[in-house]
Amino acid sequence: MSDAPRPSNFLADIVEADLRAGRNGGRVVTRFPPEPNGFLHIGHAKSILLNFGLARAYGGRTHLRFDDTNPVTEETEYVEAIQADVRWLGCEWGEHLYYASDFFERMYACAERLVRDGKAYVDSQTQDQIREQRGSFERPGVNSPFRDRPPAESLDLLRRMRAGELPDGAAVLRGRIDMAHPNVLMRDPLLYRIRHASHHRTGDRWCIYPMYDFAHPLEDAFEGVTHSICTLEFESNRELYDWVLDSLGPWDPRPRQYEFARLSLGYTVLSKRKLLQLVNERRVSGWDDPRMPTIAGMRRRGVTPEALRDFADLIGVAKNNSVVDIGKLEFAIRGDLEGRTPRALAVLNPLRLVVESWPADRTEELDVPWWPGEPARGGSRKVPFGRELLIERDDFSEEPPKDWKRLAPGREVRLAGGYVVRCEGVVRDASGAVTAVRATHDPASRGEGERRKVSGTIHWVHATRSVPAEVRLYDRLFAVEQPDAEPDFLQVLNPDSLVLAKGARVEAALADAAPGTRWQFLRQGYFFVDPVDSRPGAPAFNRTITLKDTWAARTAAKPEARRAKREPAPVDGQGAAAARKGRAELRAEARAADPELAARHARYVGLGLSEEEADLLSGDAAVATWFDAAVAVHPNARSVARWLLNDLAGLARERALASLPLAPDAFGRLVALVDAGRLTPAAGKALLAELVEKGGDPEARMKALGLEKVDDRAAVEAAVARALEARRAEADRYRAGEKKLFGVLVGAAMRETGGAADAALVRKVLEEKLA
RNA sequence: UGAGGCGUCGUCCAACGGCAGGACUGCGGACUUUGGAUCCGCGUAUGAAGGUUCGAAUCCUUCCGCCUCAGCCA
């Protein structure tokens, strides 16, 4: 364990449970396994932060492993970019850098072992034949004619595959599992294919390469990974993952695969294919275009690793397919940048402001703090103020709308860090367009303690002592929230995702801003000095994110409707989906095929069970027989049925009833105990859970566990008193009127007796005491 | 529906049989030398229906909806 913040999600729960149970010798080893065939994006960042975060929180380690099993798509360039990105995120793998290709020899040895064990064979069919034989979801596959080839023959062929005697596609190694398996991935999956291609690390040493489903579990096992965390679409691969490991073990630790929902982000695409397309078709300038959701792109936009971490914490980890509101990312970025950027003045779309009351030959060097409102932080620079200034065109309106707080004829506004000015008129060109605003200033309006009320503050720069700058205004790459849902995602690119601010000027202090530094342009947003294109004296700024702008939000058109709420489920019930075959149909079919089961159904109804209960118990002979055996011991069929159906079923889960340590006669005796009033239902459940796991005699266990029903009033009163003592705060709130807390109090009192108290009596006593 | 998953405020995530909570967004308000930040306030969400239970988002059943899988990709 470490003192790193403990993540709270279902995977952390699993890790904690494993640690508690002493599994894997207390080790926690995760891994991040990218294929080096593209750049990492924010979805990978979620996975990286999850894997590294989990290991760090539980005193484990995380491996960086390149899953380089397909030589035709993978390149060294990507290997390097990926390492840089992971490191930039603040994740360290230490000496644990691995490549799947480093394990090729061991993997191959495993393949030979499978062949010798009769668990794999070389198939000499064509790709089309193999596909054809795989069957479909509804139709089982058929066996390959080479499926029963003797192991010695397969082994020879496999060796010749490796030796390069066979051309691409001439043969593959297949696992021998089951061509009728309901999971199509298990229908004799391909394990190795021939690829006469140069690999970025192993060169031409190999001409056969393992498939993902074979390689991945082995890589995990070789490295000692304990928790192999991947995304939801690999759920059906898990069965094959387990088959490979179980066929080739034993392993210590034995890796386990878990899946979580990959990230989807609004107004963004995250599929490798689409990202690659954007790059290849020059819709963006490259993988590191600041509009790209790649780590490289976000880095160049000015996003920090800390912001990405905050974002990851914000969205959590679960198994729901969900689309995260891009506003969350923006919130994390703003929150991070807020505290780390000095405030500067820049005008993106200038309009001349002539301060007619200011002498033309006079310039005042105003001392303006870098951190307004945070004097403790210190630091300031001189900003020249003169007669000719530039303000933002959007900050002036001749006919201002309601609630306008900026400059307008006859109105006053403060120039940030400087004087209050009043608009006296405008200057127009021949066409009547405003070319300048005329103003006068209030000389007394600046200085310590000056608290003159004006409706607003605007930013500005000196007309000649400011410097031109390249300012790139980035916005969301897509115009719709779910570009993936479009027939062609390229059709919904946001045409304004990059706007160059024409004529933008920044205050002189920013002329030589260092590449890679971050600034807030007052009232506008956070900007990053581009590390590639910026030059001293000719700075280039990338807008990372705008400031939250309630005025713009108010005046902008309402965003398009979010995705429609789920269709209301048709309530007409039964008939609607008659075509489908659910478990209910299966049971009905079983009875139709077996008159004995049908007779049981009738008998159960005769015993007083509901139609539904009788149906549930008579769909399977094993269940019915088990039930009958229990009823033979305790002839209250309704009770036995309810306990079996509602409680035992949940406890048994997938396990067959017959395989439980709990025999039907013991179960019948347990239900009898409840019916006789010797066990409360709550205590009965506790006892049942115990017996399902460990077996034993109900009555003996009941006594040993102290579960026998408590219905003497003194004992219940004592329990209630203890509960009230322990839950004093809740009791007080209850008395104050929060009646919903009664349940908490009942629960506390029940727990005082291990569920053995009579609930009705507890309620009664509680009510009296709380009255 | 062959198999495997998933359904909780507009969005994302909690609640592990006992008070449906947090964050984002949005909307008010206060404050403000950033229409920023900050502070305060505002919530008819457990897909539906049955059942078990003193008590169900949670357990059981049925139904509905969504996602993934039939590459010699990963």
Side-chain angles (χ1 to χ4, degrees), chain A residues 214-451:
Chain A
F214 182 65
H216 207 88
L218 292 178
E219 293 156 19
D220 286 340
F222 293 158
E223 292 177 24
V225 167
T226 55
H227 301 263
S228 182
I229 299 166
C230 62
T231 48
L232 247 29
E233 63 272 24
F234 290 97
E235 258 166 343
S236 21
N237 298 66
R238 188 176 60 232
E239 198 169 10
L240 182 46
Y241 182 100
D242 288 334
W243 180 87
V244 169
L245 291 183
D246 291 342
S247 302
L248 292 162
W251 308 100
D252 179 36
R254 157 66 150 90
R256 294 283 166 189
Q257 177 183 302
Y258 302 96
E259 310 87 15
F260 70 99
R262 69 190 314 161
L263 173 67
S264 299
L265 240 200
Y267 298 94
T268 308
V269 299
L270 291 179
S271 95
K272 241 177 207 178
R273 197 201 98 233
K274 288 176 179 168
L275 259 14
L276 185 63
Q277 200 179 343
L278 290 169
V279 172
N280 286 343
E281 295 184 15
R282 308 309 252 147
R283 313 306 267 255
V284 295
S285 64
W287 285 106
D288 70 341
D289 186 300
R291 292 167 293 178
M292 290 283 274
T294 51
I295 292 177
M298 292 188 293
R299 178 167 58 220
R300 187 157 176 196
R301 180 141 164 185
V303 175
T304 66
E306 289 77 11
L308 258 19
R309 276 171 190 279
D310 291 347
F311 173 67
D313 291 343
L314 230 40
I315 61 174
V317 176
K319 296 187 77 162
N320 286 348
N321 284 308
S322 56
V323 181
V324 173
D325 190 335
I326 189 143
K328 273 200 168 57
L329 210 213
E330 296 173 344
F331 170 80
I333 295 172
R334 285 192 188 104
D336 171 64
L337 260 18
E338 209 277 325
R340 62 162 88 220
T341 54
R343 312 300 144 100
L345 291 165
V347 173
L348 304 182
N349 184 16
L351 173 64
R352 282 175 59 227
L353 177 79
V354 184
V355 186
E356 296 178 330
S357 54
W358 192 276
D361 58 354
R362 183 180 158 218
T363 301
E364 181 180 352
E365 303 290 334
L366 303 177
D367 190 58
V368 181
W370 284 120
W371 305 94
E374 290 183 271
R377 239 169 146 157
S380 67
R381 80 291 192 187
K382 297 292 184 200
V383 179
F385 188 93
R387 182 182 169 95
E388 296 263 334
L389 306 175
L390 300 172
I391 61 169
E392 205 71 58
R393 198 164 275 275
D394 285 350
D395 285 339
F396 175 75
S397 171
E398 275 197 277
E399 289 168 29
K402 193 169 164 284
D403 297 334
W404 184 255
K405 293 172 73 173
R406 311 178 187 182
L407 202 56
R411 300 227 203 157
E412 284 189 334
V413 85
R414 177 178 295 281
L415 297 178
Y419 297 92
V420 171
V421 294
R422 175 191 178 84
C423 172
E424 306 290 356
V426 298
V427 178
R428 299 172 194 280
D429 63 14
S431 69
V434 174
T435 57
V437 174
R438 296 168 39 231
T440 52
H441 81 290
D442 174 1
S445 62
R446 179 181 147 78
E448 275 312 292
E450 168 57 40
R451 283 292 176 273

Side-chain angles (χ1 to χ4, degrees), chain A residues 124-137:
Chain A
S124 305
Q125 297 185 100
T126 66
Q127 187 169 171
D128 286 343
Q129 287 169 318
I130 290 174
R131 182 170 29 238
E132 179 60 31
Q133 287 167 1
R134 188 145 29 219
S136 68
F137 291 145

Side-chain angles (χ1 to χ4, degrees), chain A residues 88-259:
Chain A
W88 179 78
L89 274 176
C91 295
E92 264 308 327
W93 54 87
E95 74 239 40
H96 296 286
L97 174 66
Y98 301 95
Y99 293 83
S101 52
D102 287 344
F103 300 124
F104 280 171
E105 197 62 58
R106 288 176 75 182
M107 289 179 193
Y108 177 79
C110 288
E112 287 209 350
R113 180 173 152 200
L114 284 183
V115 173
R116 281 195 302 271
D117 290 351
K119 290 179 177 166
Y121 60 97
V122 171
D123 195 337
S124 305
Q125 297 185 100
T126 66
Q127 187 169 171
D128 286 343
Q129 287 169 318
I130 290 174
R131 182 170 29 238
E132 179 60 31
Q133 287 167 1
R134 188 145 29 219
S136 68
F137 291 145
E138 301 84 5
R139 210 180 63 241
V142 304
N143 286 170
S144 163
F146 299 100
R147 194 172 199 266
D148 293 318
R149 172 130 81 185
E153 190 182 323
S154 278
L155 198 54
D156 175 59
L157 250 11
L158 178 60
R159 288 174 178 165
R160 287 168 56 193
M161 283 167 63
R162 175 179 181 173
E165 293 175 28
L166 271 47
D168 284 9
V172 289
L173 182 71
R174 289 233 252 170
R176 180 210 237 86
I177 306 181
D178 178 4
M179 287 306 292
H181 201 288
N183 177 355
V184 292
L185 284 174
M186 297 293 280
R187 319 242 257 229
D188 287 11
L190 271 60
L191 270 22
Y192 265 94
R193 79 287 214 188
I194 303 172
R195 276 261 212 283
H196 290 274
S198 254
H199 184 277
H200 72 109
R201 299 194 81 235
T202 59
D204 295 321
R205 279 208 293 287
W206 292 87
C207 59
I208 59 171
Y209 292 92
M211 300 286 291
Y212 167 86
D213 283 312
F214 182 65
H216 207 88
L218 292 178
E219 293 156 19
D220 286 340
F222 293 158
E223 292 177 24
V225 167
T226 55
H227 301 263
S228 182
I229 299 166
C230 62
T231 48
L232 247 29
E233 63 272 24
F234 290 97
E235 258 166 343
S236 21
N237 298 66
R238 188 176 60 232
E239 198 169 10
L240 182 46
Y241 182 100
D242 288 334
W243 180 87
V244 169
L245 291 183
D246 291 342
S247 302
L248 292 162
W251 308 100
D252 179 36
R254 157 66 150 90
R256 294 283 166 189
Q257 177 183 302
Y258 302 96
E259 310 87 15

